[in-house]
Amino acid sequence: MLSKSAAKAFFLGGTAVCAGAFVLLTFDTIQRVPAQTRSQNLSESAIRGKHLWDSNNCMGCHTILGEGAYYAPELTKVYERRGPSFIQSMLKDPEAMYPGQRKMKNYHFSDQEITDLTAFLKWIGEMDLNGFPPKPSIGPLSQAEQAPPSPNATASLRPKVFEQVCMACHSVQGQGGKVGPLLDGVGDRQTRDYLVQWLVDPVAVKPDSKMPKLPLSEADIQELADYLSQLKQQG
């Protein structure tokens, strides 16, 4: 049993040590902030995007850097996960990306505001967050979910833009979304030239198309057309 004076000394000494450790850790953290946040990449566009993020209360639905609500998807790594084309299309017209499904409000952002928000999300995604958030662990598909194997599709690696944008709505070999048609065998059904025209502007090809015109680059369109034209069924 400690005496009153010894207990007091123990308390004061422990408090001083803990306070000192806290100050040192705080100083170390502040020193690391510029490098880990990649502050040199914080452009004027990204800063404007941050103001838009705050003024429109995006954290009322989304989570970023561990802060926010859990009503809508977590967006810390959305730039890596979905890429700029998908982000810009969602900000332009959420309903067009997922007809009858999305609950995200259309804020009617201007093209510049969309560019600024995309720049902000890109900067956030490039931060060194010590492995946060962890990448999801996705298990293998069941036999029922898998489409019949296609040697042409398997031989060709999917373009990154396909995984970021197209698979949000379409699926290949059982992987992807279910909003749009399955793309297994699309190379048998359509020519490469048709696929290029469709990717440039779906509504120009089919006026009642539910697929929006995506902000794809010419390189993206050509890469996607090459890949899709190789998706052919066996036999």
Side-chain angles (χ1 to χ4, degrees), residues 14 30 79 82 110 119 121 128 149 171 190 192-193 201 207 220:
I30 292 173
Y79 192 92
R82 288 300 191 187
S110 67
L121 292 170
D128 178 4
S171 67
Q190 306 294 350
R192 187 185 183 282
D193 288 343
D201 190 352
D220 289 337

Side-chain angles (χ1 to χ4, degrees), residues 30 41 60 105 117 124 141 155 157 197:
I30 292 173
N41 297 333
K105 173 185 174 182
L117 277 165
I124 289 290
L141 294 172
L157 294 176
Q197 294 174 17

Side-chain angles (χ1 to χ4, degrees), residues 44-213:
E44 291 297 323
S45 180
I47 292 171
R48 291 194 299 270
K50 172 64 166 64
H51 291 314
L52 284 168
W53 174 273
D54 291 336
S55 62
N56 288 281
N57 191 31
C58 298
M59 288 177 70
C61 293
H62 296 278
T63 305
I64 200 166
L65 300 177
E67 296 289 334
Y70 292 89
Y71 177 74
E74 205 280 338
L75 297 182
T76 302
K77 293 291 185 181
V78 68
Y79 192 92
E80 174 187 327
R81 192 169 65 246
R82 288 300 191 187
S85 296
F86 181 90
I87 294 171
Q88 291 166 13
S89 296
M90 279 295 296
L91 291 172
K92 188 75 173 177
D93 190 350
E95 172 67 20
M97 290 297 290
Y98 293 91
Q101 294 191 30
R102 302 301 291 189
K103 294 181 174 63
M104 178 173 167
K105 173 185 174 182
N106 189 338
Y107 288 88
H108 302 288
F109 292 121
S110 67
D111 290 343
Q112 183 60 58
E113 288 173 331
I114 290 172
T115 297
D116 293 340
L117 277 165
T118 304
F120 170 64
L121 292 170
K122 180 177 186 292
W123 175 67
I124 289 290
E126 292 174 346
M127 287 183 179
D128 178 4
L129 301 175
N130 298 318
F132 176 86
K135 291 186 181 296
S137 176
I138 302 175
L141 294 172
S142 67
Q143 286 294 105
E145 293 175 310
Q146 296 182 27
S150 168
N152 301 82
T154 305
S156 301
L157 294 176
R158 282 181 229 154
K160 186 173 183 180
V161 67
F162 182 86
E163 295 188 340
Q164 290 179 330
V165 180
C166 307
M167 289 185 72
C169 296
H170 301 277
S171 67
V172 170
Q173 294 183 310
Q175 295 181 316
K178 298 181 180 179
V179 177
L182 300 176
L183 295 180
D184 297 284
V186 68
D188 291 320
R189 300 190 298 271
Q190 306 294 350
T191 65
R192 187 185 183 282
D193 288 343
Y194 179 92
L195 293 170
V196 169
Q197 294 174 17
W198 182 267
L199 291 167
V200 169
D201 190 352
V203 177
V205 177
K206 185 181 178 183
D208 62 344
S209 172
K210 292 183 179 180
M211 178 171 165
K213 181 178 180 179

